[in-house]
């Protein structure tokens, strides 16, 4: 909080805050942070990668799921043309079709999880904070967001102006703002 003088000699105290802030966390827990790609103060665009989680835990699962899906599709393909011919029960054919669909769905789920190992910026803007380090485990021990981003790097001064001073200021009036470090905007 700092004291500011508005045009016309009106001094107010207030805070500079992000107009709109986006919080970024991991959708998956239990994965080690492999790399952090941005720091506080960096500008990012929407969908820019902010950090990556280690894919090692998923790699084996995906490989096994690919084999299982391929096998299930192959088994279904061998009997698909036999529906209604009495060679094999239609229920057995339907069962193989469902097993193939289930294996494909499981594989798709794992691939979606792999894509979510990269934390991406939901909006473009200025990175306000980073609470993530390489080696951290995602989703463990924190409810705070890993990154906070000021959308479009837009900020506003939130201040209280005494009612008696309203006549000395106007809507959209340009005013100098002095930050706590002495920087004037």
């Amino acid at each position: 909080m700092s004291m500011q003088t508005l045009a016309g000699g009106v001094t107010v105290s207030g805070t500079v805050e992000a107009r709109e802030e986006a919080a970024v966390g991991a959708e998956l827990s239990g994965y080690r942070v492999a790399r952090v790609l941005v720091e506080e103060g960096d500008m990012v665009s929407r969908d820019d990668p902010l950090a990556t989680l280690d894919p090692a835990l998923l790699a084996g699962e995906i490989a096994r799921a690919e084999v299982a899906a391929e096998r299930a599709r192959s088994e279904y393909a061998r009997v698909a043309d036999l529906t209604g011919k009495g060679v094999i029960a239609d229920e057995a054919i339907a069962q193989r079709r469902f097993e193939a669909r289930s294996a494909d769905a499981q594989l798709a789920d794992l691939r979606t999880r792999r894509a979510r190992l990269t934390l991406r910026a939901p909006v473009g803007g200025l990175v306000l904070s980073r609470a993530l380090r390489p080696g951290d485990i995602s989703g463990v021990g924190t409810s705070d967001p890993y990154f906070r981003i000021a959308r479009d790097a837009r900020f506003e001064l939130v201040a209280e102006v005494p009612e008696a001073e309203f006549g000395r200021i106007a809507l959209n009036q340009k005013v100098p703002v002095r930050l706590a470090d002495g920087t004037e905007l």
Side-chain angles (χ1 to χ4, degrees):
M1 180 119 40
S2 60
M3 297 295 286
Q4 308 302 324
T5 302
L6 300 178
V10 177
T11 300
V12 299
S13 171
T15 58
V16 176
E17 300 175 358
R19 179 168 282 184
E20 185 179 342
E21 194 174 295
V24 180
E27 294 180 51
L28 304 173
S29 63
Y31 292 88
R32 187 180 58 78
V33 176
R35 292 180 31 206
V36 177
L37 306 168
V38 298
E39 298 293 335
E40 286 183 18
D42 287 351
M43 288 296 295
V44 296
S45 296
R46 179 183 166 94
D47 291 327
D48 277 357
L50 305 174
T52 58
L53 305 178
D54 188 346
L57 293 175
L58 274 180
E61 284 185 65
I62 290 173
R64 286 188 297 275
E66 286 172 340
V67 170
E70 184 179 337
R71 181 177 50 240
R73 285 190 300 267
S74 175
E75 288 178 9
Y76 172 62
R78 280 196 311 255
V79 298
D81 292 339
L82 301 176
T83 301
K85 296 184 179 174
V87 175
I88 186 172
D90 287 350
E91 289 177 9
I93 295 170
Q95 179 63 33
R96 288 187 182 168
R97 181 178 64 244
F98 290 130
E99 287 171 359
R101 289 178 59 198
S102 177
D104 284 339
Q106 183 178 13
L107 180 58
D109 177 60
L110 289 170
R111 287 177 173 161
T112 298
R113 290 163 110 198
R114 181 176 55 195
R116 292 198 174 137
L117 291 175
T118 299
L119 306 182
R120 296 188 176 278
V123 298
L126 179 70
V127 177
L128 298 174
S129 69
R130 169 183 79 101
L132 193 64
R133 300 175 311 247
D136 286 350
I137 303 298
S138 65
V140 175
T142 183
S143 61
D144 294 332
Y146 294 141
F147 298 94
R148 289 179 28 251
I149 301 171
R151 181 191 285 265
D152 301 325
R154 296 190 64 180
F155 295 87
E156 56 191 15
L157 173 65
V158 179
E160 292 185 22
V161 177
E163 187 176 342
E165 304 293 344
F166 280 178
R168 299 173 70 185
I169 60 174
L171 186 62
N172 295 320
Q173 177 181 352
K174 292 187 182 223
V175 297
V177 175
R178 189 171 305 109
L179 302 177
D181 68 0
T183 305
E184 191 168 294
L185 309 171

